[in-house]
Amino acid sequence: MSELGLFFAVLGAVGAALVAGIGSAKGVGMGGQAAAGALTENPSLFAKVLILQLLPGTQGIYGLLIAFIALSKIGIIGNGAVSLTLNQGLSFLAACLPMAIVGYISALHQAKTSVASIALVLKKPEQFGKSMLFPAMVETYAILALLISILAINGIL
């Protein structure tokens, strides 16, 4: 039974990094396409559009953080794996799901918002500060998912 508990715990950790990372990769790619298009019209906007392109990448970082925290807690990183019951393993899986799911979805929505903000900056470069607020609002939900996953993981064992 302990092998199955450990399997589900590792599955949760890997899932958080994998799913949020996929969302970030897709999101940064979408932003990069928009940024490249903007630079064909105005190369001086490079720094501004780069920042907007990179914003959807944070969810992948958060997913990786959750994976490290979970793997450390179950001993994969550090002292060696602990024995987990099936319920504990499923608890780790459930604790990692908010970051995996919300990370993926928010990265894609943040990318769409970043693409729109890049279009705004292209037309009105002086609006860069305001344009960053739109994708930053989407980031709020990734941060909330990160926090709930951290709290849930720390409540196990």
Side-chain angles (χ1 to χ4, degrees):
M1 207 53 125
S2 67
E3 293 89 14
L4 202 51
L6 184 60
F7 169 78
F8 282 114
V10 172
L11 181 64
V14 169
L18 181 68
V19 176
I22 290 169
S24 282
K26 290 174 80 171
V28 170
M30 292 167 62
Q33 291 172 1
L39 292 179
T40 62
E41 292 189 38
N42 187 347
S44 70
L45 294 175
F46 176 75
K48 291 177 180 178
V49 297
L50 178 65
I51 291 168
L52 291 167
Q53 179 212 355
L54 293 176
L55 286 174
T58 56
Q59 286 84 342
I61 295 168
Y62 300 157
L64 188 61
L65 177 61
I66 290 301
F68 279 134
I69 293 170
L71 293 173
S72 294
K73 183 100 181 205
I74 62 177
I76 298 293
I77 299 173
N79 303 336
V82 297
S83 180
L84 297 174
T85 66
L86 178 59
N87 283 341
Q88 288 171 323
L90 290 171
S91 295
F92 274 102
L93 175 62
C96 293
L97 283 177
M99 191 64 253
I101 296 168
V102 175
Y104 178 81
I105 293 169
S106 67
L108 295 180
H109 286 285
Q110 190 172 39
K112 291 176 185 177
T113 311
S114 291
V115 167
S117 293
I118 288 168
L120 170 61
V121 168
L122 180 60
K123 289 185 179 188
K124 297 190 178 211
E126 70 278 3
Q127 297 298 316
F128 172 69
K130 291 177 186 174
S131 74
M132 279 188 44
L133 291 176
F134 303 125
M137 295 307 297
V138 181
E139 183 82 17
T140 303
Y141 297 95
I143 292 170
L144 294 175
L146 172 68
L147 292 175
I148 197 65
S149 285
I150 289 172
L151 290 171
I153 289 169
N154 285 327
I156 303 167
L157 300 179

